[in-house]
């Protein structure tokens, strides 16, 4: 994946907010996966998002009832 300087945006996943609902990785399987306990495996990370995955990143952020995921466009 590209670095944030050349990406279309960034997806930030707040580790302490994730409650394991699974909605994010259900709507964004190309970006997010679950861990062995059902939480998003990328919690605590900032992921650069390529232009072709912007809609999926926005869907993941919108799907999270805890607002643990934020997408910021460059």
């Amino acid at each position: 994946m590209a670095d944030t300087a050349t990406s279309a945006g960034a997806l930030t996943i707040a580790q302490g907010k994730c409650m394991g609902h699974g909605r994010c990785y259900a709507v964004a399987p190309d970006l997010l996966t679950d861990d062995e306990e059902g939480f998003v495996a990328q919690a605590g990370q900032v992921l650069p998002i390529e232009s072709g995955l912007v809609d999926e990143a926005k869907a993941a952020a919108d799907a999270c009832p805890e607002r643990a995921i934020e997408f910021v466009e460059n």
Side-chain angles (χ1 to χ4, degrees):
M1 207 174 280
D3 64 58
T4 55
T6 60
S7 67
L11 196 65
T12 303
I13 302 102
Q15 188 160 4
K17 287 185 173 183
C18 179
M19 294 291 121
H21 296 286
R23 295 175 185 175
C24 61
Y25 50 80
V27 300
D30 294 324
L31 297 172
L32 304 171
T33 58
D34 60 324
D35 66 13
E36 64 279 349
E37 295 178 352
F39 294 94
V40 63
Q42 293 77 14
Q45 298 180 33
V46 176
L47 307 174
I49 302 299
E50 297 293 328
S51 60
L53 294 172
V54 168
D55 289 342
E56 201 167 319
K58 288 179 180 180
D62 290 343
C64 181
E66 306 299 334
R67 299 291 173 233
I69 301 173
E70 180 182 13
F71 176 71
V72 178
E73 290 189 69
N74 286 347

